[in-house]
Amino acid sequence: MQFSDLKRLLTRSFPEFKTYLLDEIDSTNRFLKTKFNAKLPERSVCITQHQTAGYGQQQRAWESDNESWTFSLHGKPWLLLIFKLFFA
């Protein structure tokens, strides 16, 4: 699937989620935390093709290339999104 097709799929399949698709960003997690402080919708997902300064648990570096998608989820309903993406 092309990155450009992802937004159409997510919007159609998960209309309850606010979706941010970015070609490149420093950190999907940092993006959502910044937006959250500005009253981010509870069900939000940020997806990028290239993450330059991401971090995981215990602040471990998490970078990506253009070969995969990196994402962060915000809000309690994240489990619903994971379930639909991988098991529906």
Side-chain angles (χ1 to χ4, degrees):
M1 174 184 296
Q2 297 295 317
F3 191 68
S4 60
D5 298 329
L6 185 59
K7 184 166 185 131
R8 284 191 298 274
L9 174 65
L10 290 173
T11 302
R12 187 175 60 241
S13 301
F14 308 102
E16 67 272 18
F17 280 84
K18 173 65 178 166
T19 303
Y20 301 93
L21 287 173
L22 307 166
D23 290 328
E24 182 174 306
I25 193 168
D26 60 342
S27 167
T28 57
N29 197 11
R30 188 175 298 118
F31 175 85
L32 288 180
K33 283 183 178 181
T34 302
K35 291 285 188 185
F36 177 68
N37 288 334
K39 305 295 184 216
L40 179 73
E42 183 171 324
R43 297 176 181 183
S44 300
V45 59
C46 178
I47 303 171
T48 187
Q49 255 185 314
H50 187 214
Q51 181 171 250
T52 59
Y55 57 93
Q57 292 181 348
Q58 301 173 354
Q59 301 299 312
R60 292 188 177 116
W62 189 277
E63 295 185 17
S64 67
D65 52 27
N66 290 329
E67 300 295 321
S68 61
W69 299 328
T70 303
F71 66 94
S72 293
L73 298 165
H74 166 70
K76 294 179 182 177
W78 61 267
L79 190 57
L80 172 65
L81 178 64
I82 298 293
F83 181 81
K84 284 184 175 181
L85 281 174
F86 294 103
F87 302 107

